[in-house]
Amino acid sequence: MTAKASVSLPIGVFDSGVGGLTVLKALRERLPHEPLIYLGDTARLPYGTKSAAAVSAYALEAAKALVSVGIKALVVADNTSSAHALDALRAEFPGLPVLGVVEPGAQAAGHASPRGKIMVIATESTVRAGTYPRSILHSRPGASVSQLACPLFVSMAEEGMVDGPIAMQVARHYLANAFLDPEPLERADCLLLGCTHFPAFLPLLRQLLGPNVAIVDSATTTARAVEDLLENRAISAPKQTVPAPVRYFATDAPERFARVAAVFVPWAIDPAEVNIIDLVHQ
Ligand code: DGL
């Protein structure tokens, strides 16, 4: 595919479910002129509790489906797939630019952390992969990086429980050891949100941690990286005043997709807009 031929194609955005809409939203804000196709593998989520092998196999199937629809770049919005499957995806689709959320988030955290004491919160499977600490240490050698799986945040976000006393208590439970209890100089100074769902808790986390902790959300940093990638490859869509279309695909439950989407994006999605796709028998 020549660069010229691919300019008008959409960017494919893939996630295990609906949380990746945080990445879609960030892309929409930064690149409103780029057409987008979002695919959520709602039949098989969560990925965050699954093995590396299962996550990689699922990610390859999802990418194959998006490639067959026609995309000019693939954004792996799902942190768990980004942590496990990026090399496999790049090897399988050599001509396709593939960008995950881990590297942009890790680099941003490396820059944002005043003293290099960084905590990554993510799913269990992302934590197990160790990709975030490796990537952070690459951009900030000598940083002290800790990780914590925060599975409750995933289900709470999907229930819309992103503020209020219960959410605050859960956030305190997860984060007090790193950010609140130790002596000030021993505390972590940067929190990296390494899961699609966690940007939904930003206001609450800011309230809990105060203004001196840097909070890095891989969704926004990824949107910036996508813009650079498109420019470097000369495949950016022409800027226009009317926003480009967004198409939604899911592997199951379009009503739930549309309902839970309301937690992550400020616009309404009609279940009828969500096309059901079969990734297994393609
Ligand atoms: N999308 C996943 C992630 O960012 C969270 C939800 C899941 O476990 O599938 O890691």
Side-chain angles (χ1 to χ4, degrees):
M1 185 171 33
T2 63
K4 199 159 177 254
S6 54
V7 161
S8 57
L9 287 176
I11 301 168
V13 182
F14 155 63
D15 181 44
S16 57
V18 189
L21 290 173
T22 51
V23 177
L24 185 96
K25 174 170 170 268
L27 285 168
R28 201 79 190 128
E29 283 164 3
R30 194 154 192 105
L31 305 165
H33 52 285
E34 292 291 349
L36 303 170
I37 296 191
Y38 182 91
L39 166 57
D41 190 5
T42 44
R44 299 191 288 202
L45 70 81
Y47 283 14
T49 52
K50 307 241 164 41
S51 68
V55 171
S56 295
Y58 295 168
L60 283 165
E61 285 176 0
K64 190 170 157 203
L66 285 168
V67 167
S68 71
V69 175
I71 52 172
K72 65 181 173 188
L74 175 67
V75 176
V76 183
D78 179 43
N79 288 253
T80 310
S81 303
S82 297
H84 287 297
L86 222 55
D87 291 344
L89 288 167
R90 287 182 174 145
E92 186 71 19
F93 305 100
L96 182 74
V98 177
L99 205 115
V101 286
V102 169
E103 219 175 283
Q107 266 178 21
H111 287 126
S113 169
R115 289 175 287 111
K117 286 179 86 69
I118 301 167
M119 177 165 199
V120 183
I121 55 173
T123 64
E124 199 185 307
S125 189
T126 300
V127 165
R128 220 181 312 119
T131 321
Y132 266 113
R134 275 197 297 282
S135 196
I136 292 170
L137 287 169
H138 190 73
S139 75
R140 179 136 182 194
S144 145
V145 186
S146 52
Q147 301 190 89
L148 187 69
C150 298
L152 280 178
F153 274 163
V154 173
S155 20
M156 286 173 65
E158 295 195 0
E159 290 295 318
M161 284 177 62
V162 295
D163 51 21
I166 298 177
M168 186 57 95
Q169 212 175 333
V170 173
R172 189 177 282 281
H173 163 77
Y174 281 141
L175 301 177
N177 268 345
F179 291 96
L180 305 174
D181 294 344
E183 292 303 312
L185 277 178
E186 298 303 312
R187 291 177 192 170
D189 59 18
C190 176
L191 175 67
L192 172 49
L193 309 181
C195 173
T196 46
H197 291 52
F198 298 173
F201 294 94
L202 251 174
L204 178 109
L205 294 171
R206 176 56 66 215
Q207 194 190 334
L208 177 68
L209 302 179
N212 296 329
V213 170
I215 304 180
V216 173
D217 131 28
S218 354
T220 6
T221 53
T222 298
R224 234 176 286 146
V226 173
E227 183 175 32
D228 291 347
L229 180 136
L230 298 180
E231 277 171 13
N232 292 340
R233 305 237 182 174
I235 53 171
S236 305
K239 298 223 159 70
Q240 53 189 25
T241 41
V242 189
V246 183
R247 287 160 70 199
Y248 301 98
F249 288 88
T251 49
D252 195 18
E255 292 79 15
R256 185 169 201 281
F257 183 104
R259 177 167 47 81
V260 178
V263 176
F264 301 107
V265 291
W267 59 85
I269 298 175
D270 188 324
E273 282 179 77
V274 183
N275 304 285
I276 295 301
I277 188 170
D278 179 357
L279 300 183
V280 180
H281 307 102
Q282 351 182 18

